[in-house]
């Protein structure tokens, strides 16, 4: 009974895939292996023209294959862009603030004057590594609140950039959990 069902209609898509778990549940070599799988996946997608642009601890997942080995999975492509042609594109701010590259958190970045490039996502992967090593122990969030990273969650973009800069100047004051010591 719809006059023009092709125009303005919606199509329901159902995607079914294996159950994934958050990478924060992993420790030691398993964590590092899953994290590296996600980095390699990101690189291959970027080369193929798919730019994720929202690397965060919540978007790195894993599953165990039949042999019990951990396989990292890059997840959540809501903010991804598909690039056709050569050269970087996309200067709108995207990402999860605590994991965004510092340059994108600058005034120029927030004003859309910085083009989102590959190294910005790579820096986000490094912030995820820092985050997990400092905040998680054997898959659980640490109770040790001396790890001032909670402030990254509460800060606006500019404040988060300042906190990250401070971290880089005083990172020796931070200590990873025992389960992430080798990754650190």
């Amino acid at each position: 009974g719809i006059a023009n069902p092709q125009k303005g209609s919606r199509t329901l898509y159902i995607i079914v895939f294996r159950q994934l778990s958050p990478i924060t549940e992993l420790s030691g070599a398993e964590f590092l292996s899953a994290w590296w799988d996600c980095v390699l996946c990101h690189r291959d997608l970027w080369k193929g023209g798919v730019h994720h642009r929202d690397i965060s601890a919540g978007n790195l997942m894993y599953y165990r294959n039949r042999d019990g080995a951990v396989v990292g999975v890059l997840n959540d492509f809501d903010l991804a862009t598909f690039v056709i042609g050569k050269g970087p594109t996309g200067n709108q701010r995207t990402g999860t603030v605590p994991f965004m590259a510092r340059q994108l958190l600058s005034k120029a970045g927030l004003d859309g004057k910085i083009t989102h490039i590959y190294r910005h996502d790579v820096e986000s992967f490094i912030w995820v590594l820092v985050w997990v090593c400092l905040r998680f122990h054997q898959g659980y969030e640490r109770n040790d609140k001396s790890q001032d990273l909670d402030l990254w969650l509460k800060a606006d973009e500019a404040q988060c950039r300042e906190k990250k800069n401070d971290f880089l100047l005083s990172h020796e004051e931070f200590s990873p959990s025992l389960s992430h010591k080798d990754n650190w």
Side-chain angles (χ1 to χ4, degrees), residues 69-180:
V70 167
V71 178
V73 176
L74 182 59
N75 194 33
D76 191 358
F77 287 80
D78 290 356
L79 300 177
T81 56
F82 187 70
V83 178
I84 300 172
K86 300 263 183 211
T89 61
N91 59 358
Q92 66 271 32
R93 184 192 79 78
T94 62
T96 304
V97 173
F99 305 102
M100 287 175 62
R102 291 175 305 128
Q103 187 180 28
L104 296 177
L105 296 173
S106 69
K107 179 164 177 19
L110 296 172
D111 289 343
K113 296 177 182 170
I114 305 282
T115 299
H116 192 115
I117 58 177
Y118 182 75
R119 76 172 173 82
H120 293 131
D121 280 1
V122 171
E123 183 180 333
S124 293
F125 274 110
I126 299 300
W127 289 121
V128 169
L129 184 68
V130 166
W131 184 266
V132 174
C133 287
L134 293 177
R135 288 184 56 100
F136 290 86
H137 175 67
Q138 295 181 340
Y140 295 97
E141 204 161 352
R142 291 171 70 176
N143 291 328
D144 180 1
K145 293 302 178 186
S146 67
Q147 309 292 338
D148 247 359
L149 300 187
D150 280 350
L151 300 175
W152 296 9
L153 292 170
K154 300 171 187 170
D156 65 21
E157 292 91 342
Q159 292 168 332
C160 189
R161 182 173 191 257
E162 288 175 23
K163 299 291 179 201
K164 287 179 175 184
N165 286 337
D166 291 346
F167 171 83
L168 291 173
L169 292 172
S170 62
H171 66 275
E172 63 277 348
E173 296 173 15
F174 292 81
S175 60
S177 71
L178 292 177
S179 65
H180 286 287

Side-chain angles (χ1 to χ4, degrees), residues 54-67:
D54 187 20
I55 304 302
S56 68
N59 290 342
L60 304 186
M61 309 290 284
Y62 80 96
Y63 69 91
R64 291 189 184 276
N65 66 17
R66 290 182 181 172
D67 298 330

